Amino acid sequence: MNMRGHEWMSEATAGAITAERFLRRHWQQKALFVRSALTEIGQCFEPAMLIELATRDDVESRLVRRERTRWSVEHGPFPRRRLERLPARGWSLLVQGADLHLPAARTLMDRFDFIPYARQDDVMLSLAPPGGGVGAHFDSYDVFLVQAYGRRRWRIGRQRDLTLKSGAPLRILKSFRPEHEYAVEPGDVLYLPARYAHEGVATTQCITCSVGLRAPTRQEITTSFLQWLPDKIALAGRYRDREKTLSKHPAQIASAMLREIEAVLAAVRWSRATVEQFAGEYLTEPKAHVWFRAPVRIVSFMRFSAHARSRGIRLAAATRMLFHGDRLFVNGEFLSMPAAARAALIALADERAALPWRNRSAPAARQLYQWYRAGYVELA
Ligand code: SIN
Ligand code: CO
């Protein structure tokens, strides 16, 4: 099994730090800047790619504009002509989920595979002309800001006062007190823990990749759990009055009735297995604007199996596959792994590909074929 994170930055890079050290010293604690950490990224992205993505209706995009102190935000998709005629200054085009559409963005995300997939969110790309940016703000989750094209100046600060400007259509800090400044070039990486104030201003036309980490709020986790729970619990019995006293007010909800209802709710229990199933389904649930396309020409099960054995299979870019114990979760669905295929399925989830698929389990092969037909898995 290969060790995660050993390739996340070249050891020849001055200031490079191992993934272990990064996790110990910086992760969720302290900002980190490494110059020329991912230099190969410099040739992978260009403005036309963002323009193309921002015209698509299956891609989430935004155009942020600034006129003096006034900010505005528009949501895509945008007509191509509009994007090609943007002014020379004062805007930034943001494209969410680039890892689903650009292999280079997926490869970039994979550089961070020492962070569990369940914590990875997406790669956002931003394009800005000189002077462009989205203002001073903080994010609620950790982010790796990877400079992909052109130059930008980042200013960052760990300020306590995170009050936002009121009335602005995007999150802008009321007062920004930067402590450090970095003039970044393609390949430079800046890691910021959640709630770190920052502002990036393009110094030439530039593209920045934000590798975003996922950290749902407690409210989001709980709301999702409570919405998911009803199908999973079966409670016996029915409401009954325990105290039979004559009431002066037939319209009153008696305290005894409230106590009984409270007791019914307090008796709701869930097991570790229920939590496990919820967590797996929740964490692999595709995002709202993601949909899977079945292959244009579906091959037969026989041909699928032969291809998988000779050349292999891989997960579709949007597929989320995670596991815990013997349970495998794929795009919000769950499966108990057949013992004979467990190791192979875990390897598929970790590597996102099996080149070739050597496992002989017939139930696993049938399951993979179903996922292939659903567009979750592709022939390599
Ligand atoms: C940008 O790329 O302009 C914004 C990224 C961020 O600040 O999170
Ligand atoms: Co930010």
Side-chain angles (χ1 to χ4, degrees), residues 13 101 103 147 166 171 234-235 238 247 324 361:
T13 306
H101 306 285
Q147 190 61 14
S166 58
R171 298 147 46 88
L235 299 169
R238 185 179 286 276
S247 169
H324 182 87
S361 153

Side-chain angles (χ1 to χ4, degrees), residues 124 134-135 137-139 141 143 145 154 192 196 198 210:
M124 180 188 86
V134 299
H137 65 283
F138 68 91
D139 296 305
Y141 39 79
V143 65
L145 298 159
W154 283 107
L192 296 178
Y196 227 97
H198 56 285
S210 302

